[in-house]
Amino acid sequence: MSKVEEFRALHLRPAPGDPLVLPGPWDAASARAFEAAGFPALATPSAGVAASLGYADGSTPADEMFAAVARIARAVEVPVSADVEGGYGLAPKELVERLLEAGAVGCNLEDSRGGVLEDPCEHADFLAEVRAAAGDALFLNARVDVFVYGDGDPERAVERAVAYVAAGADCVYPILAPTDLLPVLRAGIPGPLNALARLDGDGPSPAELGGLGATRITFGPGLQRRAERAVRELADGLAS
């Protein structure tokens, strides 16, 4: 079984309350730590990688992002999916080629640009072109930004998600969807559903998110930010 086949199969395994949990490594060392802990796959966060490279979220040059993904994928044996934001303006064929060259088995692609939602039909067409260029070589996770930059209407989120699945997306990611809306989204969206887990202790656990309908759990830059806080505490202790 190839790595992308393995990655795709992991999304079909989860039962309610037992979602696929994908930590987000920001460099090779963190990737190896997550692999050593037993996680079967990883999913890079663009904001976490940006911070590790000294950039603000959304400001990482494409070449540096793909190079970072390549270092992470090369450092581990488990499948690695890459958050490549909106695709950096690359044509679908080139985007797919860059991802495969980096060793990624999948990608996140968001449906907003500069804080503004893309036209859902145009974005669906873009996803369809990515799918056509990739064939079965990439697992496509389509981010839905209605709860970030839109009006938060779950019906609009479902409409976008359904269109993206029809265009070839393997999974959809209504990022920052309120927890109480997950059952509504699950009922309306076919296929795997990605939910964001928080690490502040105020939100539901990955298992609880799974019980509400999520089949895949990611953390955004949360793990990188927690690690950064730990380093700052260590540095403060050394300096005192």
Side-chain angles (χ1 to χ4, degrees), residues 107-132:
C107 67
N108 269 18
L109 285 169
E110 57 199 44
D111 67 347
S112 64
R113 182 173 307 189
V116 178
L117 288 172
E118 300 272 16
D119 178 89
C121 294
E122 292 179 3
H123 190 66
D125 288 344
F126 172 67
L127 293 175
E129 291 182 46
V130 173
R131 169 55 65 213

Side-chain angles (χ1 to χ4, degrees), residues 11 13 25 41 45 51 68 71 73 81 85 88 94 98 102 120 178 189 194 196 199 203 225 227-228 232 240:
H11 289 77
R13 176 208 65 182
R71 287 191 293 272
S81 182
E85 304 178 88
Y88 306 111
E94 183 179 359
R98 297 291 298 272
I189 298 172
N194 191 157
L196 177 71
L199 298 172
R225 289 173 180 171
E228 183 177 349
R232 286 178 178 172
S240 62

Side-chain angles (χ1 to χ4, degrees), residues 200-226:
D200 53 16
D202 293 332
S205 68
E208 289 169 333
L209 291 171
L212 292 169
T215 50
R216 162 173 160 158
I217 306 298
T218 52
F219 302 89
L223 294 164
Q224 182 274 328
R225 289 173 180 171
R226 175 168 287 191

Side-chain angles (χ1 to χ4, degrees), residues 41-71:
L42 308 173
T44 69
S46 61
V49 173
S52 75
L53 297 174
Y55 293 103
D57 185 20
S59 300
T60 310
D63 287 350
E64 293 197 44
M65 181 62 75
F66 286 113
V69 170
R71 287 191 293 272

Side-chain angles (χ1 to χ4, degrees), residues 1-216:
M1 182 183 292
S2 69
K3 281 189 177 181
V4 67
E5 290 171 337
E6 179 184 347
F7 190 64
R8 187 169 280 112
L10 288 170
H11 289 77
L12 302 177
R13 176 208 65 182
D18 184 27
L20 172 62
V21 177
L22 297 176
W26 53 94
D27 60 12
S30 60
R32 284 177 171 161
F34 292 134
E35 181 184 44
F39 289 98
L42 308 173
T44 69
S46 61
V49 173
S52 75
L53 297 174
Y55 293 103
D57 185 20
S59 300
T60 310
D63 287 350
E64 293 197 44
M65 181 62 75
F66 286 113
V69 170
R71 287 191 293 272
I72 290 169
R74 187 170 59 245
V76 295
E77 295 298 324
V78 297
V80 174
S81 182
D83 182 349
V84 289
E85 304 178 88
Y88 306 111
L90 300 173
K93 184 175 184 296
E94 183 179 359
L95 176 61
V96 168
E97 289 173 350
R98 297 291 298 272
L99 284 162
L100 294 177
E101 287 171 359
V105 301
C107 67
N108 269 18
L109 285 169
E110 57 199 44
D111 67 347
S112 64
R113 182 173 307 189
V116 178
L117 288 172
E118 300 272 16
D119 178 89
C121 294
E122 292 179 3
H123 190 66
D125 288 344
F126 172 67
L127 293 175
E129 291 182 46
V130 173
R131 169 55 65 213
D136 292 330
L138 286 175
F139 185 95
L140 181 55
N141 190 34
R143 204 177 90 173
V144 178
D145 286 357
V146 166
F147 300 102
V148 183
Y149 301 120
D151 60 6
D153 185 340
E155 290 187 10
R156 288 195 175 87
V158 169
E159 288 172 359
R160 283 176 175 262
V162 169
Y164 301 161
V165 171
D170 296 288
C171 181
V172 292
Y173 180 19
I175 189 171
L176 294 182
T179 301
D180 60 355
L181 290 180
L182 281 178
V184 175
L185 297 172
R186 173 70 286 164
I189 298 172
L193 178 66
N194 191 157
L196 177 71
R198 297 181 179 276
L199 298 172
D200 53 16
D202 293 332
S205 68
E208 289 169 333
L209 291 171
L212 292 169
T215 50
R216 162 173 160 158

